[in-house]
Amino acid sequence: MSTTTNPPPSPGISSRRPGGKIPPKLPLSVFSAGNAAPLSADPTKVFPNAIVDANVNLQLSEWSEQAGDLIKKPISGVVLALHTQEGQPPLDEERFNALIQSSKVPITAIIAPTHLADRGISKLPSYITSSPSPFAFGVSFAPGSTTPDDIRLILSAGHVVDLDVPWNSQQSESDSEWNALEDFIGKAVTGGSEDSSKPTKAIVISNLLPPPHSLHVPIVKLMKSTVYQKYQEHISSLSFVPNVYIKFLPPNWEDPTPPSPAPFATTSDTTGPSVTSQDAQAKDEWKQRVRIYLGPALDAFGYSRIIFGTSPSPSSTSASNAHDWYTLAREVVAEVGVEQEGVDAIFGKTAQTVYGR
């Protein structure tokens, strides 16, 4: 629908040109629920062969309960994000070890927030650095407090950087924040010079796919807006920076992710009190909204640089259930025409490659 039948591979640095590429303007009918064109695939029959959940917050036991039958599927691992949630006790060695030992699935990697490291790689607690799982650094994009050199230092030391973008890109018609982000990431990767050596580790951006916005804005109005056009343009520009990936996470849209029927539910289960007709209607609207952001991201990054996770980004204030977001995200990916190779990449293979040893 919003992408070609076989999404293109990620663009390489050789295709980069000044100003980035400007994606073609797509007709609104492409994303319309009433579009007469059939879906590219039956979303109920498209599943990844293996799953790596690349964003699981500290509540591993809660995640296991939410994931339910997903754990019975080929879960290859999780990326454990050590972002302490409000009301939780601070992380210490005892609690960290308890988290690791209680995991029912392999831990692919650990994301350590920068406050744990006190802005110094050597100051990261030994109980994290001695863990058998590789660790990444979670950083909030805040120009002035974190510099491109800080990021480049982490990348050069052989660690992935998870970069959370806390601002709402859909609230401003200005290019200034987007330009600041692109400049920051470009300098972190290139060191300010195209001729300098480039780190081999990745920067993984969160809170941009999908970006925050208000559900009160009608979809057609949203797609005609200047902020949406800027989203398309700047997502395209970001994709030209090498070793930059984007996370596909539950969006910060004020409301929780709409519920989906439990895996392998019967017809009565899908129409029972647990999933109401209002829930189904909300899910359909969410899928339309997710599609209009996933389409440009696929066109720009390709399926090989999009990474799925079930916990919202650190700056998000919205709630989400792991099973509900996985189901909705998987269905949207199938509906936009991503074939099996791309589904496997988005939901597992890319995360394993980026975060694994």
Side-chain angles (χ1 to χ4, degrees):
M1 294 175 61
S2 63
T3 63
T4 57
T5 302
N6 186 13
S10 303
I13 190 64
S14 61
S15 63
R16 188 175 185 179
R17 62 180 185 270
K21 63 181 181 181
I22 305 301
K25 296 295 185 292
L26 300 178
L28 296 180
S29 60
V30 171
F31 302 102
S32 170
N35 186 22
L39 297 177
S40 298
D42 181 348
T44 65
K45 297 179 181 179
V46 178
F47 293 87
N49 287 311
I51 301 169
V52 175
D53 187 339
N55 212 64
V56 176
N57 65 23
L58 286 178
Q59 300 291 340
L60 265 177
S61 58
E62 183 180 351
W63 174 86
S64 298
E65 291 177 4
Q66 292 180 4
D69 281 353
L70 293 181
I71 296 180
K72 299 177 183 178
K73 294 181 181 296
I75 298 284
S76 298
V78 298
V79 177
L80 181 61
L82 303 181
H83 302 288
T84 305
Q85 304 298 308
E86 185 177 352
Q88 292 179 340
L91 186 68
D92 55 23
E93 183 173 4
E94 181 179 357
R95 188 158 178 250
F96 176 81
N97 290 334
L99 282 168
I100 300 300
Q101 294 167 7
S102 66
S103 178
K104 298 180 181 179
V105 297
I107 296 178
T108 302
I110 296 165
I111 302 173
T114 51
H115 68 262
L116 285 179
D118 194 24
R119 294 191 65 184
I121 295 177
S122 62
K123 296 181 181 179
L124 198 67
S126 60
Y127 58 81
I128 293 179
T129 58
S130 61
S131 169
S133 302
F135 58 92
F137 281 76
V139 179
S140 177
F141 174 61
S145 61
T146 302
T147 69
D149 287 341
D150 294 331
I151 304 301
R152 190 169 176 79
L153 178 64
I154 296 172
L155 296 173
S156 299
H159 301 288
V160 173
V161 171
D162 257 57
L163 185 67
D164 182 46
V165 181
W167 46 267
N168 187 341
S169 62
Q170 302 296 282
Q171 287 185 340
S172 173
E173 295 185 358
S174 170
D175 286 300
S176 59
E177 289 177 317
W178 278 110
N179 290 338
L181 176 63
E182 292 169 19
D183 182 65
F184 181 92
I185 292 176
K187 288 180 178 178
V189 171
T190 67
S193 171
E194 292 291 342
D195 298 328
S196 61
S197 61
K198 298 174 179 59
T200 58
K201 287 299 182 178
I203 295 177
V204 185
I205 306 173
S206 63
N207 204 38
L208 288 184
L209 182 61
H213 79 255
S214 173
L215 293 172
H216 298 297
V217 178
I219 295 176
V220 172
K221 181 178 179 180
L222 173 64
M223 293 186 64
K224 292 180 177 179
S225 68
T226 300
V227 291
Y228 178 67
Q229 293 172 10
K230 290 188 181 299
Y231 174 84
Q232 293 177 288
E233 295 170 5
H234 288 285
I235 282 293
S236 176
S237 296
L238 280 171
S239 73
F240 285 114
V241 184
N243 291 328
V244 171
Y245 296 72
I246 189 165
K247 271 191 174 177
F248 186 25
L249 302 180
N252 188 10
W253 287 353
E254 302 166 358
D255 292 344
T257 305
S260 292
F264 313 115
T266 64
T267 302
S268 60
D269 293 329
T270 63
T271 57
S274 60
V275 180
T276 66
S277 58
Q278 186 174 2
D279 292 331
Q281 183 177 2
K283 180 180 176 182
D284 286 343
E285 180 176 345
W286 270 57
K287 287 169 70 174
Q288 292 179 57
R289 291 177 183 269
V290 171
R291 278 199 294 270
I292 71 173
Y293 292 110
L294 180 60
L298 276 167
D299 289 339
F301 283 86
Y303 57 71
S304 63
R305 288 201 285 158
I306 295 176
I307 298 175
F308 165 80
T310 60
S311 292
S313 71
S315 60
S316 175
T317 58
S318 298
S320 187
N321 175 284
H323 161 70
D324 292 337
W325 175 246
Y326 164 73
T327 302
L328 188 150
R330 179 184 57 76
E331 290 178 3
V332 171
V333 168
E335 288 172 357
V336 299
V338 179
E339 296 183 346
Q340 190 64 52
E341 181 182 6
V343 172
D344 289 341
I346 292 171
F347 288 92
K349 283 188 176 181
T350 300
Q352 189 68 52
T353 300
V354 169
Y355 288 102
R357 292 195 186 278

